[in-house]
Structures are given as C-alpha cells and as structure tokens.
Amino acid sequence: MQPDDVRAVRMWAMNVGAYNFAFAFGLAVGLLMVNTGNAAGGTSIVLFLIVST
C-alpha cells in the first residue's frame, strides 16, 4: 500500500466497520424480539439480514 492510498483505505475500512456494526445490531435486536414474544417481527428482521448477506 502506498502512502497516498491511506486516505481511501481508511474511508473504506470505516464504511465496512459501520456496515458490520449495523448488521450485528440488527441481528441482536431481531433475536431479542424473537425471544421476548414478538416472533413475527424478530423473524422478519433475522430473515432479512440472512438474505442480505
């Protein structure tokens, strides 16, 4: 990697990190919803996340 590429790589890494955080948060919320009684909503969120990968 060249020193001139650091800025572009940093932006890419931040984007991937934000995507992974949002994905993990959505999965946790979906599983929490399934286990606390809102099975339809939680299942929909989990299935959406599984299909979107």
Side-chain angles (χ1 to χ4, degrees):
M1 184 168 75
Q2 301 297 324
D4 295 337
D5 297 334
V6 170
R7 188 177 271 173
V9 170
R10 183 178 296 138
M11 289 301 294
W12 173 79
M14 297 281 284
N15 188 25
V16 170
Y19 174 81
N20 287 338
F21 177 76
F23 187 85
F25 182 73
L27 184 60
V29 168
L31 292 174
L32 180 68
M33 289 173 68
V34 167
N35 289 318
T36 58
N38 189 353
T43 303
S44 298
I45 291 173
V46 171
L47 287 177
F48 173 77
L49 292 172
I50 289 171
V51 170
S52 69
T53 57

